[in-house]
Amino acid sequence: MSELNPFKIAQTQLDEAAELLGLDKGTHELLRWPMREYRFLLPVKMDSGETKVFHAYRVQYNAARGPTKGGLRWHPDETIDTVRALAAWMTWKTAVVDIPLGGGKGGVTCNPKELSDTEKERLARAYIRAAAPHLSVHRDVPAPDVYTTPQIMAWMMDEYEAIAGESHPGMITGKPIPLGGSQGRGDATARGGVYVTREAMKVRNMDPSNTSYAIQGFGNAGQFAATLHTEILGSGKLVAVSDSGGGIYNKDGIDPDKIVHHKKETGRVAGFPGSEPISNEELLELNVDVLYPSALENAITETNAANIKAKIICELANGPTTPEADKILFEKGIFVLPDFLANAGGVTVSYFEQVQNTYNYYWTIEDVHAQLDLRMTNAFQAVNAMAEKKKVHMRSAAYLVSVSRVAEACKLRGWV
Ligand code: GLU
């Protein structure tokens, strides 16, 4: 059985890139580990009056190219190693889209589905009271990730400003629009993914109209991918979606707006009228043009990679494919848009949000979309050119582009 610890996987991926790049030993070692990490114990009063103690983390992986940046995940399976891996991937993500930021990530081990809104608010504020000395627009800037929302970002910004005694909207991104959030941040992750899918189709000479697609995971990224695939590419047939409660399939197509509505109403995709049930495993192996893994790590492993039939895999999730599976997919000729390229739209618009906060002047939705498209398309082209030049798969190529950019920044600073 292959290694499934996400941080070990992130280190293995880096090791492969370091070898291909002929990276010197010092730089390689520096990039294998987070430069700073914090653990916090957060005592929070529950609605019942009892105190619950939560374990929380913030990892600042590498700040050579700028302040560290990355989301906060609230999940029952969160560990220091998942946060480290996600922080490493953020470092490569900000580098691949060439924005002047480093990589970081944070999290709280908790089950948000069991927390009331008032408990979530107290947890959000407790996190900021613990982490505030280590956060700022010039130091480290959080954002949403799995199970965290614009509302949670709003409570966090409010707590930070209460501590600071002044306005600091750029200390966190993914805020609601009335509090300094950016137009277009909500669907940015999925939108960026569909932009690079469009570019991959050009490389593969695929006609973007009439493509079939399936979505594994129906959170923020998955839901927006459902509607944006057809909106941006002009048409397309959604044949299956799944979430943690199971999946649904209809070979004749599922109406993207209706399934998003059904999920919002019922909290799950199962039971959607006119569809048949399908397991998460079956969904991944469907014969579709585009597969969007949009849930968590390790969805595609050496166990199922050989059965995957999609032509393009657009990884909206972080870390959905293991290194062993990558090799199998490459040999099968599947075009993989690797996570830190495919889902970089979120942090790109987060960066636009910070820029707008800093000069206190706000862009139109059209400006955000045009700038996002430009950044994503440029990043795709840089990675695809590297893949063709070095004859490696797209993840290796993305690592080569990003790691050399971060290594160059470390060198210019005199660290190595
Ligand atoms: N959590 C998102 C990601 O994994 C967004 C990070 C951000 O906006 O800073 O890319």
Side-chain angles (χ1 to χ4, degrees):
M1 187 63 195
S2 59
E3 176 62 67
L4 292 182
N5 175 329
F7 184 49
K8 294 248 169 71
I9 289 177
Q11 286 185 316
T12 304
Q13 292 166 339
L14 173 74
D15 294 345
E16 285 173 15
E19 192 172 334
L20 283 168
L21 282 172
L23 213 61
D24 65 277
K25 245 177 132 191
T27 310
H28 181 190
E29 188 63 12
L30 180 65
L31 300 183
R32 287 193 95 226
W33 298 96
M35 293 191 78
R36 276 184 293 277
E37 49 187 49
Y38 303 97
R39 300 179 74 123
F40 314 110
L41 214 50
L42 308 178
V44 176
K45 288 265 184 320
M46 296 288 102
D47 293 343
S48 66
E50 108 189 91
T51 294
K52 219 170 149 186
V53 177
F54 293 91
H55 291 258
Y57 316 90
R58 186 73 191 169
V59 171
Q60 298 170 349
Y61 197 87
N62 187 290
R65 287 173 46 88
T68 49
K69 182 84 190 81
L72 295 169
R73 180 184 285 193
W74 287 10
H75 197 273
D77 299 333
E78 195 74 334
T79 67
I80 186 69
D81 273 348
T82 51
V83 183
R84 284 171 171 161
L86 291 160
W89 291 327
M90 283 309 303
T91 306
W92 317 133
K93 195 180 300 190
T94 52
V96 85
V97 281
D98 205 10
I99 54 182
L101 297 170
K105 202 81 173 200
V108 179
T109 313
C110 68
N111 187 352
K113 290 183 181 162
E114 289 169 2
L115 297 175
S116 68
D117 281 349
T118 48
E119 289 167 342
K120 283 183 193 167
E121 178 174 351
R122 288 193 290 274
L123 178 58
R125 291 184 185 276
Y127 185 89
I128 291 300
R129 283 195 301 278
H134 315 296
L135 304 175
S136 91
V137 66
H138 302 299
R139 202 170 282 159
D140 181 19
V141 182
D145 197 77
V146 175
Y147 293 145
T148 54
T149 58
Q151 176 62 72
I152 292 173
M153 302 302 113
W155 290 321
M156 289 185 162
M157 181 191 79
D158 184 67
E159 189 68 20
Y160 189 88
E161 292 187 343
I163 295 168
E166 55 189 22
S167 166
H168 282 278
M171 64 76 50
I172 200 161
T173 61
K175 299 179 293 293
I177 288 176
L179 295 186
S182 177
Q183 297 287 342
R185 176 65 185 85
D187 70 14
T189 305
R191 180 175 292 275
V194 178
Y195 287 152
V196 289
T197 299
R198 178 196 65 203
E199 296 306 306
M201 287 179 178
K202 288 183 195 159
V203 169
R204 285 286 161 107
N205 290 321
M206 284 164 70
D207 177 5
S209 57
N210 299 322
T211 48
S212 60
Y213 62 111
I215 301 178
Q216 180 245 4
F218 218 51
N220 173 288
Q223 287 183 44
F224 279 118
T227 49
L228 288 175
H229 181 102
T230 50
E231 197 181 305
I232 294 170
L233 301 178
S235 62
K237 188 165 71 175
L238 175 63
V239 293
V241 300
S242 67
D243 62 16
S244 52
I248 56 157
Y249 172 73
N250 185 339
K251 67 170 176 17
D252 298 323
I254 296 162
D255 184 317
D257 291 318
K258 287 194 179 138
I259 183 60
V260 169
H261 180 75
H262 174 84
K263 167 87 183 181
K264 289 210 161 84
E265 292 288 301
T266 66
R268 52 217 308 258
V269 298
F272 182 66
S275 67
E276 47 185 280
I278 186 173
S279 69
N280 255 295
E281 293 70 31
E282 289 166 330
L283 180 143
L284 293 168
E285 297 176 11
L286 285 174
N287 190 358
V288 287
D289 293 302
V290 186
L291 172 66
Y292 291 96
S294 313
L296 295 171
E297 301 86 44
N298 300 327
I300 304 175
T301 67
E302 62 191 329
T303 316
N304 61 355
N307 302 330
I308 308 263
K309 296 168 201 73
K311 294 188 181 68
I312 294 175
I313 299 179
C314 176
E315 295 182 342
L316 294 178
N318 288 308
T321 307
T322 64
E324 293 79 8
D326 262 331
K327 295 195 177 77
I328 300 169
L329 298 176
F330 187 49
E331 276 156 25
K332 284 174 67 95
I334 295 173
F335 198 109
V336 176
L337 290 157
D339 51 3
F340 68 82
L341 169 65
N343 69 31
V347 74
T348 302
V349 178
S350 276
Y351 164 63
F352 298 160
E353 182 174 333
Q354 279 190 283
V355 170
Q356 295 169 76
N357 293 153
T358 303
Y359 67 4
N360 204 10
Y361 177 81
Y362 288 82
W363 305 359
T364 62
I365 187 90
E366 291 79 16
D367 287 339
V368 170
H369 290 170
Q371 288 295 319
L372 177 63
D373 197 348
L374 193 67
R375 297 263 176 182
M376 295 302 299
T377 302
N378 286 346
F380 173 88
Q381 280 165 0
V383 172
N384 190 52
M386 181 68 85
E388 284 172 4
K389 185 168 144 205
K390 300 274 184 193
K391 305 207 174 354
V392 292
H393 57 65
M394 287 289 280
R395 190 180 326 275
S396 276
Y399 265 96
L400 296 181
V401 169
S402 294
V403 172
S404 49
R405 287 179 182 166
V406 178
E408 186 190 13
C410 294
K411 193 166 173 51
L412 285 167
R413 283 176 180 274
W415 291 353
V416 288

